[in-house]
């Protein structure tokens, strides 16, 4: 989403056209904001997104009308994530920080150690079947506590599906908010994490300190 | 298919230039821009994957801008043929008097030709198709429009001491 410098465009037509090509970036920002509002009001805006800076890097937050549908780490490449959602959900996507204000606020509170439970509407359409069952269970693991992949497999009624629990956590579309970071290997090792091992260590450290 | 946000980021500035060239800077151009992107967002999922996004958006924006011209004139025009006459309609509430005068001084056909060819980068043939004109007529209208803007620009520059400073035209202005 890199915008060209809207003030400068070489039209090759000479200085007189600079009169017409000169644009105020704030004006484009105002028009964008108006588009967000009008598109949402007419019900043709399927996905909205924003980004927020956190101690584990810049997170991409994406929501549908129903709620938060995707949280992505920078390591997942936000543009790839949005391109994927354009294919699987809808290409009617606009940046709209206003619509994600409460998600951003709750994440800020969480990273400041002032929030233990997220209270956000979630749209879980990106997880299916057994993976969805696993992800539904995760918020039951209390803040500051952990479970092993085997314990989670047992909790969702399929004790042998330890590897499947691992892959459910590894493909969690809503990391941080749905706490897959609270699931560890039975030997106490971290196991993998979408946002990288440092991010998982940071989140567990944050929660154990509070 | 790209997220629609990408189209707004990539082509929003060009579309605004087209709207402003046809309507002058101000609320009318903003309305045309907004209506164009709203209508594009609605139709976007059905757009063929290999469509030229900029040409598509410029086409929609041009249509919306002409709608505004017609609304402004308050006289419904029954055909696609638009009267070729200087804008006597006034362009309210703008913040750039110089640009307003330059653009408003051009007949609509010339404004369209300059906007579509020079600002949106469409070949004369495509600009002609879009405006229901011929390649030769659009070429002539664009050249005439540019000549008038050039003359206007020179007039505007004359009070300044260094008229011919060649670098004054490079890069961003103001």
């Amino acid at each position: 989403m890199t915008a060209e410098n809207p003030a400068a465009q070489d039209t090759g037509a000479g200085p007189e056209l600079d009169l017409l090509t000169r644009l105020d970036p704030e004006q484009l920002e105002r028009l964008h904001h108006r588009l967000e509002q009008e598109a949402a009001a007419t019900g043709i805006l399927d996905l909205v997104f924003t980004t927020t800076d956190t101690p584990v890097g810049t997170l991409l937050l994406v929501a549908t009308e129903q709620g938060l549908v995707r949280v992505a780490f920078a390591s997942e490449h936000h543009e790839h994530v949005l391109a994927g959602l354009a294919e699987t959900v809808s290409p009617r996507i606009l940046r709209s920080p206003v619509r994600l204000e409460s998600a951003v606020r709750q994440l800020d509170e969480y990273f400041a150690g002032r929030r233990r439970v997220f209270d956000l509407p979630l749209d879980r359409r990106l997880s299916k079947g057994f993976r969805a069952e696993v992800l539904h269970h995760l918020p039951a693991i209390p803040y500051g506590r952990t479970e092993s992949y085997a314990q989670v497999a047992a909790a969702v009624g399929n004790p042998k599906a330890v590897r499947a629990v691992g892959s459910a956590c590894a493909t969690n579309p809503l990391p941080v908010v749905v706490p897959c970071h609270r699931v560890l290997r039975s030997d106490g090792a971290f196991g993998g994490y979408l946002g990288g091992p440092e991010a998982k260590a940071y989140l567990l450290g944050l929660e154990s300190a509070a | 298919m790209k997220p629609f946000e990408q189209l707004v980021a990539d082509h929003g500035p060009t579309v605004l230039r087209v709207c402003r060239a046809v309507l002058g800077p101000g609320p009318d151009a903003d309305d045309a821009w907004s209506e164009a992107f709203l209508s594009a967002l609605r139709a976007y999922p059905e757009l063929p994957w290999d469509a030229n996004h900029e040409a598509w958006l410029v086409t929609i924006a041009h249509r919306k801008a002409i709608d505004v011209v017609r609304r402004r004139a308050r006289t419904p025009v029954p055909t696609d043929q638009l009267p070729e006459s200087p804008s006597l309609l006034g362009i309210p509430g703008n913040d750039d008097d110089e640009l307003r005068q330059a653009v408003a001084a051009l007949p609509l056909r010339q404004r369209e030709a300059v906007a579509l060819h020079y600002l949106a980068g469409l070949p004369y043939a495509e600009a002609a198709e879009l405006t229901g004109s011929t390649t030769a007529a659009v070429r002539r209208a664009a050249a005439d429009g540019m000549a008038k803007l050039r003359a206007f620009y020179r007039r505007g520059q004359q009070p300044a001491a260094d008229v011919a400073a060649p670098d004054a035209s490079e890069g961003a202005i103001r």
Side-chain angles (χ1 to χ4, degrees), chain B residues 74-94:
Chain B
R74 290 170 204 278
T75 47
V77 180
T79 71
D80 286 332
Q81 289 298 314
L82 288 162
E84 182 157 344
S85 61
S87 171
L88 303 171
L89 302 163
I91 299 167
N94 70 82

Side-chain angles (χ1 to χ4, degrees), chain B residues 26-38:
Chain B
D28 284 344
D30 293 354
D31 288 349
W33 189 97
S34 298
E35 287 175 28
F37 272 100
L38 206 54

